[in-house]
Amino acid sequence: KAGVTQTPRYLIKTRGQQVTLSCSPISGHRSVSWYQQTPGQGLQFLFEYFSETQRNKGNFPGRFSGRQFSNSRSEMNVSTLELGDSALYLCASSLEGGGIQYFGAGTRLSVL
Amino acid sequence: QKEVEQNSGPLSVPEGAIASLNCTYSDRGSQSFFWYRQYSGKSPELIMFIYSNGDKEDGRFTAQLNKASQYVSLLIRDSQPSDSATYLCAVNPSGNTGKLIFGQGTTLQVKP
């Protein structure tokens, strides 16, 4: 059974640009959660999507958004990038959200 | 007060010893609890999960939960150098959605 797949693995952008990250969950999993990991703040919850609806949202500005498609694949978008957005972005999938979450390898975003 | 607190370490133990990792959480209504292991440059990998008070054992790992004291711990018996990693405690406040709150992680060093 394939794991959680995140693309791309690495991204380099400049301030002011926007970026879209993709996450394909484990087959049969309907919940996708996104996290940002930085050395200073650790792993922080961004948002969760379930059945194409955002079910939970963390404390991040509106520049961070996401969506989920009917096949449960999810994308997150960051607009007007700032230097502080440089981080490892992780997505995790679970059957319906409340159980075990399995993480993808992450997308490392560098903003110059 | 942080929602999930861990001692950042490093916790250094000799090979073959028992490593004890601790975590406290602030939301008394939290439902489920997870320990993830993260090697440098990698994504988190699930080690243990626990939902009920008491102990849960899986191989060399034992998770302990005390909801009255809002305390979760992870014991690693017969520690190996390959156990050297950062251990993340995660709490699901609601139990039925995909939002995990992570501690800052404890770095474990197992010395041969």
Side-chain angles (χ1 to χ4, degrees), chain B residues 56-76:
Chain B
K56 180 181 179 183
E57 187 174 319
D58 183 2
R60 296 187 296 114
F61 300 95
T62 298
Q64 299 174 316
L65 173 61
N66 184 325
K67 289 188 177 180
S69 299
Q70 295 172 243
Y71 178 90
V72 195
S73 66
L74 178 70
L75 299 178
I76 306 174

Side-chain angles (χ1 to χ4, degrees), chain B residues 2 6-8 10 12-14 25 32-33 35-36 43 47 49 55 59 62 72 95-96 103 108 112:
Chain B
K2 291 184 179 178
Q6 295 180 254
N7 188 325
S8 61
S12 183
V13 301
Y25 60 94
S32 46
F33 308 84
W35 284 98
Y36 285 86
S43 63
I47 297 298
F49 62 93
D55 295 0
T62 298
V72 195
N96 60 0
L108 173 66

Side-chain angles (χ1 to χ4, degrees), chain A residues 14 19 23 26 28 38 44-45 48-49 56 72 74 79 90 99 104 107:
Chain A
T14 56
V19 67
C23 174
I26 291 171
T38 59
Q44 293 186 287
F45 173 77
E48 180 213 6
Y49 285 87
N56 262 306
S72 294
S74 178
S79 62
L90 292 157
T107 294

Side-chain angles (χ1 to χ4, degrees), chain A residues 29 37-38 65 84 105:
Chain A
H29 285 193
Q37 187 173 32
T38 59
S65 63

Side-chain angles (χ1 to χ4, degrees), chain A residues 2 16 21-22 24 28 32 35 37 46-47 50 54 59 76 90 97 108:
Chain A
L21 312 181
S22 178
S24 294
V32 174
Y35 298 86
Q37 187 173 32
L46 280 157
F47 32 65
F50 179 78
Q54 187 181 88
N59 189 25
M76 69 163 280
L90 292 157
R108 185 162 298 279

Side-chain angles (χ1 to χ4, degrees), chain B residues 13-29:
Chain B
V13 301
E15 184 175 355
I18 295 176
S20 177
L21 303 149
N22 305 314
C23 171
T24 58
Y25 60 94
S26 61
D27 187 340
R28 186 170 287 278

Side-chain angles (χ1 to χ4, degrees), chain A residues 7 11 64 104:
Chain A
T7 57
L11 268 177
F64 291 82

Side-chain angles (χ1 to χ4, degrees), chain A residues 19 36 46-47 49 54 57 59-66 76-82 84-87 89 109:
Chain A
V19 67
Q36 180 196 66
L46 280 157
F47 32 65
Y49 285 87
Q54 187 181 88
K57 190 176 190 308
N59 189 25
F60 279 83
R63 300 185 297 105
F64 291 82
S65 63
M76 69 163 280
N77 184 277
V78 188
S79 62
T80 318
L81 284 165
E82 300 177 359
D85 297 333
S86 295
Y89 290 87
L109 172 65

